[in-house]
Amino acid sequence: MQKNFGIDDILKLLCGEYGDPHSVLGMHQQDDGLVVRVLMPGALSVQVEDEKTKQLYPLRQIHDEGLFESEIPDRTKWFPYRLEVDFGNGNIWDTKDPYSFLPSLSEYDRYLFGAGNHYEIFDKLGAHPCVMDGTAGVAFAVWAPNAKGVSVVGDFNGWDTRRGMMRLLGASGIWELFLPGACAGDRYQFAIKQNDGCWHYKTDPYGVCQELRPKKASVVYDLTGYEWQDSTWMEQRKSGEKYNRPMNIYEVHLGSWKRVPEEGNRFLTYQELADGLAAYCTQMGYTHVEILPVAEHPLDGSWGYQVTGYYAPTSRYGTPKEFMTFVDTLHQNGIGVIMDWVPAHFPKDENGLGRFDGTALYEHQDWRRGEQKQWGTYVFNYGRNEVRNFLIANALFWLERYHIDGLRVDAVASMLYLDFCRRDGEWVPNQYGGRENLEAVEFLKHMNSAVAGRHPDVYLIAEESTSWQGVTRPPEEGGLGFSLKWNMGWMNDFLSYLKKETVYRKYHHTFLTFGMMYAYSERFILVLSHDEVVHMKGSMFYKAPGDRWQKFANLRAAYGFMYTHPGKKLNFMGNDFAQYTEWSEERSIDWHLLLDADHRAFHEYMKALYQLYRQEKALWQRDFDPDGFSWVDCDDREHSIISYVRRGSDPNDFVVVVCNFTERPYEGFWLGVPEEGIYEEIFTSDDRVFGGTGRKNEGPHPSLPQAAGRCNQHILVTVPPLGMTVFRRVGKNSEKAE
C-alpha cells in the first residue's frame, strides 16, 4: 500500500469526504510497480484485465465495505484496463474503471465559469452522454464549492454514494466524474455531503430532463440528433426590422389551455398542444404564443414560476425532444414562441438550488437580501460570477437548443429594488445607501448584452412594473438593454377605466389618455395577462359593467381601443371569447362557451379585430415612433369619446379611430381627419355579426373644411354606442367631383 494512503484516508474515502478519489482509486504508478484500487461495495471479487494482453490481475479486499487493492510489481507503466466484478449473482460485470479517465472540463472551462463568462457552460456541467477514450458513458459535473464530498447516484450504481464519488477540480468548486456504461434514460441525483455530515440529494441544476412530479430525480437525456424543420422561419426571423412588425401574442398556460376530460382530465402532450395552437393561432391571427414557464417545477399552482429545473422543459407534457417538436411545429406554421423566464427567485424545495452545498450558494445568506417573503422563495445572488453564469447561459440555452424566439423576464422590479415588498429593517441598502440592487442591474445589462450579441433577432421582454428609466435603452447608453417592456401602467389605467360605470367615466377620462404621455419613453407591449384574471380579480367579462349586452359591447370597444393604440399586444387565453370565470390552472378554459351565440359572435369580433390589426400597417409599423400617432380629440370627456390617427411608414398610409365608451350613439358626429379626402369605414365593433346594434357608416364620407378636434378637416359620421370605428382615406375630394 502507498505510504500516503493510510487508514485515515480509507475512512475519509468510505464516508465520501475524499475530495480527490481519483488520486487513490484507479491505477497509479509507485516506486516498485503499479497499484490498482477499486471501491465496489457488495462485490465478492474484482479483477483487473489488461485490455491488450487479456491478462488478469486479481485484487484483494482490504476493507469489508468493498475496497479492493492489488500491486502489480512486474508492470511499471500505466496500461488500458477493464474491471471484472463478481457480485455473486452468477454474472460478471465487465466495465471500464470510472477513475481511469481525465477530467471532462478543461482548465479554460473552469476559468471562464469562475469569471462568469462561460456561455456554453451547460455543455460542461450537468450530465452529458459522450464517448471518452473510446468508451461510452456519461460525464457528470456539478458546482458545489463548499461541499465536504459529492457523489452522483442513480440507476447505474444502485443509488450508492460510495460508487459514484466525484473529484473536486481545484478552486473552481466543480466536482466531476465520468461513468462508463451510464446512458440516456438513467435517473440520477447529486448527493451532497454538507457540513452537517449528512448526504443531501439534489436535482441537477443543469439537468435537461426530470422525472414527472412528484418524483424529483434528474434523467440523463441526449439533446443532440433532433432534425429541425424550421429553417425558413429562422431565416425570416433574421431579416427585417424586428420592431416594425405586427406582434399579437397569445399568452398560454399549456396545462390548462385544453385538457382531455374523457381521459381523466389529462394534459395535452407537446405534440397535441403544437397542433392545436398552430391551428388556433393561424385561425385567429396571433403572431406569437407566450407560454407560462415550461422549465420544470414541482407545484402546478405556481403556474411554473417556482422553478427547480432551469434547463429542463417540464415532463408534464412530454420529453425535451417533444418540446423541440412543439416549437418546430409552431415555427413551421409561422408562429413565434416566447417563453416566460424566471431569474428573480427560486423555491426552497429540499432537492432544488436552495442551500445547495449546505451554504447560501445560489442565494444570499442574509435573508434581507436572500429571500422574498411574500413568495416564500430565495433570491439569486447576482454578485456571484458563477450564479450570473448559470442564468445567462440558461437564457442562451433556451434560445439555442430550443429555437425560442424570445424570453419574457418575470418580476424584474423585484430584482431591481432591494426594498421590493419589504418594510423598514427588512432590507439592506446598497454601498451608496440607495435602494437599487446594483448587482442585479449589472446582471441584467450583462445578460441582455450577451443575448443581443449572439441573437439580435430575439426579443427580451421585461415585466417591470415601476418607472425605472431606460429599461429598453441599450446598456451602452445607460439602459438595461431589454427589447420590449410590459406596459403595466397602461394596463392598470385601462382596467380601472373599464370597470367604471359608464355614467362615471367622464370623471376618469385621463385613464384613457395618460398613457400617451409616456408611450415613447420605452418600447412597450400592451398586456392583458393571466395575472389580471385570477386571485378574485374577476374575468374580463365581469370587469365590464352593465347588462349582458353592455358587457360584450364594453369589451368590444375596449379591445378595439387596445389594438389600435401604439404598442405591441398580448392577450391571455380565454379573453378572446369573453370567458365568464376566473382562470384556474386545474381545468381547461371554458371552450364550451363558444356554443353560445353571444360568445361566438364576440370570438368572431376578436378574430376580425386581429385581422384588421395585422392587415393595417399603420397599426404596428411605427409603434415606437411619435410620428406614428396623433390625437384627433383627447379632451371630449363629457361624451367619453376619444379619437386619434395611426400612421404607417408611408405618409399616405393612415387610419382614423374613434372610440365611444358610453351607451349613447351619435348621429352626424364631427370626426376630425388629418387630411382632405374621401373616407370610408373599414371596421366597426358595432357590426351585427359581432353582436352590435348595426350602426354602420355606409358609403363614402368626403371631408369638410371645418375644424374638429385638432384637425382642420372633418367628416360626418355615426358613432355607435360602446363602439370603436376605424376609417381610412380612399381618395381625394377632387376625384369625387370628377
Side-chain angles (χ1 to χ4, degrees):
M1 181 181 297
Q2 288 175 297
K3 63 181 181 179
N4 64 342
F5 186 69
I7 188 63
D8 290 341
D9 299 291
I10 292 176
L11 294 176
K12 286 184 66 177
L13 183 69
L14 294 176
C15 71
E17 297 181 6
Y18 206 92
D20 188 10
H22 290 69
S23 68
V24 293
L25 297 178
M27 181 179 289
H28 300 276
Q29 291 178 321
Q30 58 182 15
D31 294 339
D32 53 353
L34 300 175
V35 63
V36 180
R37 293 191 195 91
V38 174
L39 181 58
M40 198 66 66
L44 296 181
S45 66
V46 179
Q47 295 188 99
V48 169
E49 179 191 57
D50 185 325
E51 285 193 305
K52 185 175 181 180
T53 67
K54 305 304 180 185
Q55 182 175 352
L56 295 174
Y57 299 93
L59 277 61
R60 70 182 187 278
Q61 187 167 348
I62 62 172
H63 195 282
D64 57 11
E65 287 201 32
L67 183 60
F68 294 81
E69 179 187 82
S70 178
E71 296 179 356
I72 309 177
D74 59 331
R75 306 289 293 267
T76 58
K77 292 185 179 181
W78 188 94
F79 58 86
Y81 66 97
R82 302 183 68 82
L83 301 176
E84 289 188 358
V85 185
D86 183 359
F87 286 102
N89 55 8
N91 293 316
I92 302 298
W93 182 37
D94 179 29
T95 181
K96 291 284 288 187
D97 187 351
Y99 299 96
S100 65
F101 294 90
L102 294 173
S104 57
L105 286 85
S106 69
E107 289 187 12
Y108 189 54
D109 289 323
R110 284 129 60 184
Y111 166 76
L112 287 178
F113 180 60
N117 298 319
H118 198 320
Y119 299 144
E120 294 86 30
I121 192 61
F122 47 79
D123 285 334
K124 299 297 181 178
L125 296 183
H128 299 281
C130 60
V131 175
M132 292 189 68
D133 295 337
T135 300
V138 176
F140 294 94
V142 63
W143 180 56
N146 302 302
K148 298 177 73 175
V150 179
S151 185
V152 57
V153 295
D155 295 332
F156 36 74
N157 61 15
W159 300 84
D160 189 332
T161 57
R162 297 167 297 178
R163 292 176 55 187
M165 290 185 294
M166 307 177 77
R167 64 177 151 201
L168 179 61
L169 298 178
S172 69
I174 296 172
W175 299 74
E176 180 271 347
L177 181 67
F178 175 74
L179 281 180
C183 60
D186 285 339
R187 299 172 304 139
Y188 72 98
Q189 285 185 300
F190 290 116
I192 311 290
K193 179 65 81 68
Q194 298 182 0
N195 286 329
D196 60 6
C198 298
W199 291 106
H200 295 259
Y201 293 84
K202 294 286 189 175
T203 301
D204 182 0
Y206 289 84
V208 299
C209 183
Q210 287 187 23
E211 289 187 290
L212 180 62
R213 54 134 184 52
K215 297 180 180 179
K216 301 175 180 178
S218 300
V219 180
V220 178
Y221 195 91
D222 188 356
L223 290 178
T224 64
Y226 182 82
E227 296 184 4
W228 289 88
Q229 305 295 317
D230 64 348
S231 58
T232 299
W233 169 268
M234 296 300 283
E235 286 303 312
Q236 288 177 346
R237 201 179 79 175
K238 296 176 183 177
S239 62
E241 171 52 61
K242 70 179 181 181
Y243 299 117
N244 294 339
R245 296 175 179 174
M247 196 171 192
N248 183 21
I249 304 169
Y250 187 45
E251 189 189 29
V252 178
H253 177 256
L254 297 182
S256 57
W257 183 65
K258 286 185 179 180
R259 290 202 180 185
V260 187
E262 60 271 22
E263 297 180 24
N265 203 35
R266 72 165 175 85
F267 297 128
L268 297 184
T269 65
Y270 282 126
Q271 184 63 69
E272 290 169 332
L273 286 162
D275 294 338
L277 282 169
Y280 186 74
C281 290
T282 300
Q283 170 199 357
M284 291 298 293
Y286 290 106
T287 63
H288 295 74
V289 295
E290 178 177 313
I291 48 181
L292 272 60
V294 296
E296 194 60 85
H297 53 282
L299 180 64
D300 291 354
S302 79
W303 315 328
Y305 290 101
Q306 294 200 13
V307 177
T308 54
Y310 272 81
Y311 285 81
T314 179
S315 54
R316 287 167 175 79
Y317 320 120
T319 68
K321 285 185 179 176
E322 287 169 341
F323 181 62
M324 291 179 182
T325 301
F326 171 86
V327 177
D328 203 356
T329 300
L330 287 166
H331 282 178
Q332 291 176 57
N333 285 272
I335 309 298
V337 180
I338 297 167
M339 190 182 93
D340 280 13
W341 187 57
V342 193
H345 63 122
F346 57 91
K348 297 180 179 180
D349 295 53
E350 169 64 22
N351 66 299
L353 296 177
R355 303 299 191 260
F356 189 80
D357 62 1
T359 67
L361 187 63
Y362 285 87
E363 68 274 28
H364 289 276
Q365 178 66 45
D366 188 334
W367 67 270
R368 294 174 299 172
R369 296 201 65 185
E371 294 187 37
Q372 287 291 357
K373 294 288 187 180
Q374 79 277 21
W375 296 325
T377 54
Y378 287 129
V379 178
F380 281 105
N381 181 351
Y382 307 107
R384 180 165 279 169
N385 290 346
E386 295 88 348
V387 174
R388 290 199 307 273
N389 203 152
F390 171 80
L391 291 170
I392 294 171
N394 186 243
L396 291 166
F397 171 82
W398 290 106
L399 302 174
E400 296 176 0
R401 293 294 181 269
Y402 289 101
H403 291 199
I404 296 295
D405 302 289
L407 298 174
R408 177 267 196 183
V409 183
D410 181 61
V412 172
S414 75
M415 302 168 66
L416 293 175
Y417 297 99
L418 296 166
D419 62 347
F420 180 84
C421 287
R422 292 180 171 91
R423 297 187 291 265
D424 289 346
E426 295 182 347
W427 61 283
V428 180
N430 64 35
Q431 65 196 77
Y432 303 109
R435 57 195 286 256
E436 299 81 10
N437 188 336
L438 303 179
E439 294 170 345
V441 170
E442 288 307 308
F443 158 72
L444 290 171
K445 291 180 178 180
H446 186 172
M447 183 272 294
N448 285 325
S449 296
V451 171
R454 292 165 68 119
H455 304 285
D457 53 336
V458 307
Y459 296 98
L460 291 165
I461 304 167
E463 188 234 355
E464 202 284 303
S465 56
T466 74
S467 56
W468 186 280
Q469 296 296 305
V471 172
T472 59
R473 192 182 307 145
E476 57 270 23
E477 297 178 14
L480 296 180
F482 284 96
S483 312
L484 299 162
K485 175 183 173 177
W486 275 23
N487 196 335
M488 311 292 278
W490 175 90
M491 179 193 71
N492 290 329
D493 287 349
F494 173 81
L495 292 177
S496 295
Y497 186 85
L498 175 65
K499 288 185 281 189
K500 305 293 182 188
E501 295 288 342
T502 55
V503 68
Y504 299 118
R505 285 179 173 171
K506 63 183 178 181
Y507 304 112
H508 304 278
H509 194 68
T510 56
F511 281 13
L512 290 177
T513 61
F514 181 69
M516 289 310 302
M517 297 291 289
Y518 59 86
Y520 303 105
S521 62
E522 304 281 2
R523 290 188 292 267
F524 283 118
I525 300 179
L526 307 187
V527 294
L528 293 173
S529 73
H530 68 279
D531 260 332
E532 306 316 310
V533 292
V534 291
H535 298 322
M536 305 300 290
K537 295 178 182 177
S539 67
M540 288 294 295
F541 184 82
Y542 279 102
K543 291 182 197 297
D547 60 24
R548 181 177 171 86
W549 184 88
Q550 290 169 336
K551 285 179 178 292
F552 279 112
N554 263 302
L555 288 179
R556 290 194 299 270
Y559 280 119
F561 169 62
M562 173 181 177
Y563 274 81
T564 55
H565 189 285
K568 306 308 180 186
K569 313 296 188 288
L570 177 144
N571 204 9
F572 184 56
M573 63 184 193
N575 289 348
D576 57 11
F577 56 77
Q579 174 152 324
Y580 276 156
T581 58
E582 284 191 333
W583 168 62
S584 170
E585 81 284 350
E586 296 179 352
R587 61 178 187 271
S588 66
I589 54 177
D590 296 336
W591 293 103
H592 62 274
L593 291 177
L594 290 175
L595 298 173
D596 176 87
D598 291 337
H599 288 274
R600 194 162 58 248
F602 183 81
H603 196 232
E604 288 301 313
Y605 167 71
M606 294 299 287
K607 183 193 302 183
L609 179 63
Y610 292 165
Q611 291 170 349
L612 171 77
Y613 167 72
R614 294 186 66 167
Q615 290 168 3
E616 294 295 327
K617 294 180 179 179
L619 296 179
W620 47 262
Q621 207 166 45
R622 300 172 79 180
D623 272 326
F624 310 124
D625 180 352
D627 292 335
F629 175 92
S630 59
W631 287 112
V632 171
D633 192 347
C634 61
D635 300 318
D636 191 0
R637 64 177 61 245
E638 192 62 33
H639 300 101
S640 296
I641 291 177
I642 58 171
S643 50
Y644 45 91
V645 178
R646 293 297 309 278
R647 295 183 181 274
S649 298
D650 184 334
N652 294 313
D653 180 17
F654 64 89
V655 295
V656 181
V657 183
V658 58
C659 300
N660 177 13
F661 288 100
T662 70
E663 302 91 337
R664 180 182 174 183
Y666 296 91
E667 304 286 343
F669 183 86
W670 284 34
L671 175 63
V673 292
E675 297 180 23
E676 172 274 336
I678 300 171
Y679 289 78
E680 287 186 355
E681 178 184 279
I682 61 171
F683 189 86
T684 179
S685 67
D686 198 49
D687 196 309
R688 288 190 184 277
V689 299
F690 304 145
T693 65
R695 288 178 170 85
K696 301 178 70 173
N697 288 275
E698 304 287 357
H701 294 265
S703 66
L704 301 172
Q706 291 86 14
R710 303 184 183 191
C711 298
N712 293 324
Q713 302 270 325
H714 76 272
I715 55 177
L716 292 173
V717 301
T718 296
V719 177
L722 291 172
M724 182 277 293
T725 306
V726 182
F727 295 88
R728 168 180 278 284
R729 190 176 71 162
V730 295
K732 297 183 178 180
N733 285 340
S734 58
E735 294 173 0
K736 182 174 184 291
E738 292 172 2

